Amino acid sequence: MDLRALSRLAAPAVAALLALTTGCTGSTVQGRPGASGLRDPYFPKAGNGGYQVEHYGLDLEYDPADGVLKGTAVLTSRAEQGLSSFNLDLSGLHVERVTVQGEPARFNRTGNELTVRPADDLKKGEVFRTEVEYGGRPRAFEDPDGSREGWITTERGAVAVGEPVGSMTWFPGNHHPSDKASYDITLTVPKGYEAVSNGELRSRGERPGGRTEFVWHSPEPMASYLATAVIGPYGVSTGRTPSGVSLYTAVSPGEEAGSADALARMPEMLEWGAGRFGPYPFGTAGAVVLPPRTLGYALETQTKPVYPGAPAEELVLHELAHQWFGNSVSPKTWKDMWLNEGFATYAEWLWAEEHGGPTAEERFRAFLAGDTDVDGAADSDWDAFPPAAPPGPDHISGNPVYYRGAMVLHRIRQEVGDAKFFALLRGWAADHRHGNASTADFTAYAQEKTGHDLKKVWDVWLYGEKRPA
């Protein structure tokens, strides 16, 4: 607010304003409000400033019969500045109570913003605990590209997916990929249903009233868009890879036969990925095969990718590759999406190259020539815009982000040779493990790691507006 405007306020309004800038003790506020939004290039209101979440504890109860979700979210966060108030992203659901550091906090809602005012200011560096009790009927919403995300009901359950901002439909949080945290998610559902989430299933137990409680633990950092909750009558199987990664798969009835071959190759794919990209970054892996047409896409939800019906082998490989590229190494902003999708697409090309399919060089040339005999997407609009600069939020999952992004990586490989290129992939995954990175971080890293001047690759393939030749 312009301070000059204060002189025009009536005395009661001034008094009310001053009351909002004092704590319950009556002392002058030392903090300031945290920003409502991180000014992401494409989703400026996503996330919030002034703090970072370190851990989410979500205790959720859901009954598919009435579609009501009851939740308690406990966020352990660190203040990055003195805070008189801070915001959480939450869409639709009714908030019943908020406490900060165990004390009741004032709060109000504006759109998808939940503004919280603690009883006492939070000091810079302070670790603080926020508890939110909430509930209602969560709803999906439509992304700028027309796809559906958020809490999506199925005929006999629900699935929660969050790319890019849909997680705010089922829990309050700092919903931007730059803020990663560990998670504990408890799901209580009617008996007879399975409830699947990220990480390790710590316990499963019967509760009063004919309910079953599932407790999931994810110790590694996770961006909130990768959190998931899947509820329904799934068939569950478990296993372990040769290197000791535990596996948990849940398959919708009727999709078992169609999924069997691709899911059976997961241990092999994970071992292959570890050889190409470095150690698998999580303690668990798996898959959830949803009823067909639940979603219009698969998603790399951390440790448990979800598939809309029985997946093909290359799709499973793609989502597993994301565990390194996108999940462990997450984008700093949504403009950096090609670091997720270009890398996972190139992983598909490498898998095919080493397992009897076309080589990455053959795929690269096929896209330049529009040869759909080699790759069915070769005549797509892969050249419509530079992968590092999608024209808007409705294009962050466009074909250039995937295919031209993969071609950027192949151009690096052509320039530096296989030894340096594969060392680059492993080094990138290792040096940014469980962190965030931008396109600028990658271009600088690639030049330093390989010792090559790759400016022409960046100018023509990564940022160039014209069709590369």
Side-chain angles (χ1 to χ4, degrees):
M1 177 182 287
D2 187 343
L3 293 178
R4 291 171 296 179
L6 288 175
S7 63
R8 299 193 300 270
L9 294 175
V14 174
L17 179 63
L18 292 174
L20 287 175
T21 57
T22 57
C24 289
T25 61
S27 60
T28 301
V29 163
Q30 301 301 311
R32 64 186 192 277
S36 60
L38 293 176
R39 298 184 181 180
D40 183 274
Y42 297 139
F43 300 92
K45 297 298 289 182
N48 301 284
Y51 68 97
Q52 289 274 309
V53 183
E54 297 182 348
H55 180 263
Y56 288 88
L58 305 179
D59 191 346
L60 308 175
E61 183 176 341
Y62 183 72
D63 188 345
D66 59 16
V68 172
L69 177 71
K70 299 176 183 178
T72 300
V74 178
L75 287 67
T76 303
S77 309
R78 183 179 297 275
E80 296 188 317
Q81 64 178 59
L83 285 171
S84 59
S85 67
F86 59 92
N87 281 29
L88 299 172
D89 302 314
L90 183 65
S91 175
L93 298 169
H94 175 71
V95 176
E96 299 172 359
R97 183 171 181 267
V98 180
T99 65
V100 178
Q101 299 293 57
E103 296 294 328
R106 292 175 294 164
F107 62 91
N108 67 279
R109 301 286 294 277
T110 303
N112 296 326
E113 298 290 337
L114 171 63
T115 301
V116 178
R117 294 176 175 82
D120 297 300
D121 273 12
L122 300 167
K123 299 179 178 62
K124 182 178 180 179
E126 182 177 353
V127 176
F128 63 99
R129 184 179 188 270
T130 305
E131 183 171 327
V132 182
E133 296 178 10
Y134 63 101
R137 290 183 173 85
R139 297 178 180 177
F141 59 81
E142 188 173 294
D143 288 336
D145 65 2
S147 59
R148 294 173 71 235
E149 63 160 327
W151 189 277
I152 297 171
T153 58
T154 64
E155 186 176 346
R156 300 178 65 189
V159 56
V161 288
E163 188 180 67
V165 293
S167 293
M168 67 180 175
T169 65
W170 59 287
F171 67 95
N174 201 15
H175 292 303
H176 189 267
S178 61
D179 189 353
K180 301 171 75 170
S182 58
Y183 281 72
D184 285 284
I185 300 177
T186 298
L187 299 169
T188 302
V189 296
K191 189 175 182 179
Y193 286 86
E194 298 292 326
V196 184
S197 191
N198 312 89
E200 173 194 1
L201 180 61
R202 281 285 181 86
S203 66
R204 170 182 178 157
E206 300 306 314
R207 291 293 176 262
R211 299 174 301 158
T212 307
E213 178 189 83
F214 298 79
V215 179
W216 293 90
H217 175 64
S218 296
E220 302 94 352
M222 178 167 69
S224 65
Y225 80 92
L226 298 168
T228 191
V230 182
I231 297 162
Y234 291 84
V236 170
S237 61
T238 60
R240 195 169 292 275
T241 70
S243 60
V245 177
S246 64
L247 298 172
Y248 188 105
T249 62
V251 180
S252 179
E255 299 302 304
E256 299 89 349
S259 303
D261 290 346
L263 296 185
R265 299 201 74 175
M266 282 199 304
E268 179 187 359
M269 291 175 180
L270 290 165
E271 297 296 305
W272 174 84
R276 275 296 179 212
F277 313 134
Y280 179 69
F282 306 106
T284 64
V288 179
V289 180
L290 304 169
R293 297 176 296 282
T294 300
L295 301 174
Y297 53 88
L299 188 64
E300 62 272 18
T301 43
Q302 194 155 301
T303 72
K304 302 285 190 312
V306 296
Y307 303 96
E313 178 182 307
E314 281 198 348
L315 181 57
V316 173
L317 189 283
H318 182 102
E319 304 307 333
L320 289 179
H322 272 309
Q323 306 306 307
W324 284 267
F325 305 113
N327 295 13
S328 177
V329 186
S330 300
K332 280 186 177 176
T333 76
W334 288 111
K335 194 172 184 177
D336 303 308
M337 185 77 152
W338 84 276
L339 292 172
N340 294 15
E341 301 300 349
F343 277 66
T345 300
Y346 198 69
E348 288 184 58
W349 293 10
L350 293 175
W351 171 264
E353 178 177 290
E354 298 178 29
H355 293 83
T359 65
E361 178 69 18
E362 288 169 339
R363 295 244 203 181
F364 179 84
R365 294 184 180 277
F367 274 85
L368 288 176
D371 184 357
T372 56
D373 289 337
V374 176
D375 192 303
D379 65 348
S380 68
D381 62 343
W382 64 267
D383 57 348
F385 57 83
D394 53 335
H395 288 85
I396 63 170
S397 294
N399 285 330
V401 173
Y402 288 71
Y403 302 119
R404 188 165 160 183
M407 295 170 84
V408 169
L409 295 176
H410 193 70
R411 280 293 294 119
I412 299 172
R413 185 180 177 185
Q414 289 174 330
E415 291 287 329
V416 307
D418 279 9
K420 289 185 177 180
F421 176 73
F422 287 110
L424 169 64
L425 292 186
R426 289 190 294 272
W428 177 250
D431 292 345
H432 296 82
R433 183 181 175 95
H434 298 316
N436 294 84
S438 67
T439 298
D441 292 330
F442 177 73
T443 56
Y445 185 88
Q447 299 213 156
E448 178 184 357
K449 188 76 173 178
T450 65
H452 284 245
D453 182 1
L454 298 168
K455 184 176 184 300
K456 187 175 180 180
V457 176
W458 314 142
D459 290 348
V460 174
W461 286 89
L462 190 56
Y463 290 105
E465 295 289 342
K466 296 180 180 179
R467 186 185 194 276

